[in-house]
Amino acid sequence: YEFDDDAKKEFLKGAQIAYETIITSFATGKIREIKSLLNSEVYNSFNEALKERSTKELKNETTFIGINSAEIKDHKQNNDFLEVSVNFISEIITCIKDKENKIVSGDPQKIKKVNDTWKFSRNIRSPNPNWQLIETEV
């Protein structure tokens, strides 16, 4: 499997769409919609975080401004899987509010620069072209 410049370009396009989709779906609590983009470990940890949020009756308000840059940090083949780490720098407005609508963290007026490294994986023997998020380092 040749992960050449064209493949990398194509991959980064998809990775940026996935990144924005995953962040906004997680913020709104709609992670069932992105289940196919996550491996079970990431899905479960997102799910736990959402459960905790609803137990504490917290509300996340996130506005995704855009991605400043997305770069492949490294890639390696792990048996039949190609694993690619991407460094995203994005701009997001985010805040968490409690049930009284008081801000407990973040700032709804401030654009925050976020630096994330996410690892995606796909089975290169599989006819399924889709990648899954297998790890997030914040």
Side-chain angles (χ1 to χ4, degrees):
Y1 179 79
E2 218 23 67
F3 196 53
D4 57 17
D5 285 350
D6 284 346
K8 286 177 182 169
K9 249 190 220 125
E10 205 46 46
F11 163 78
L12 274 175
K13 249 191 251 165
Q16 292 183 68
I17 296 166
Y19 178 78
E20 179 171 357
T21 306
I22 290 167
I23 284 184
T24 46
S25 299
F26 177 69
T28 54
K30 297 189 179 115
I31 62 165
R32 268 195 208 99
E33 295 170 11
I34 53 167
K35 199 169 185 177
S36 64
L37 300 174
L38 314 171
N39 76 350
S40 55
E41 237 166 87
V42 174
Y43 181 81
N44 290 338
S45 74
F46 280 13
N47 211 16
E48 283 309 306
L50 289 178
K51 272 191 211 147
E52 195 181 323
R53 200 156 79 196
S54 78
T55 307
K56 293 179 176 165
E57 297 185 55
L58 298 174
K59 200 169 61 190
N60 180 319
E61 290 181 7
T62 294
T63 306
F64 195 91
I65 308 293
I67 295 172
N68 293 358
S69 68
E71 285 168 16
I72 293 174
K73 214 168 75 161
D74 61 76
H75 65 279
K76 65 172 193 289
Q77 202 165 320
N78 192 347
N79 300 323
D80 287 346
F81 289 87
L82 181 63
E83 296 182 351
V84 185
S85 292
V86 183
N87 196 332
F88 294 99
I89 296 174
S90 61
E91 293 189 337
I92 295 169
I93 298 173
T94 186
C95 75
I96 307 270
K97 293 180 174 174
D98 65 14
K99 58 176 190 286
E100 272 86 52
N101 241 5
K102 277 203 205 71
I103 295 165
V104 282
S105 72
D107 183 344
Q109 305 299 318
K110 214 162 116 206
I111 295 177
K112 199 169 81 168
K113 217 178 217 141
V114 179
N115 204 327
D116 281 322
T117 302
W118 285 14
K119 192 188 278 181
F120 296 90
S121 166
R122 100 168 251 266
N123 187 335
I124 49 181
R125 306 246 177 279
S126 161
N128 182 343
N130 294 338
W131 295 78
Q132 279 196 322
L133 177 62
I134 59 166
E135 208 176 280
T136 62
E137 294 165 39
V138 181

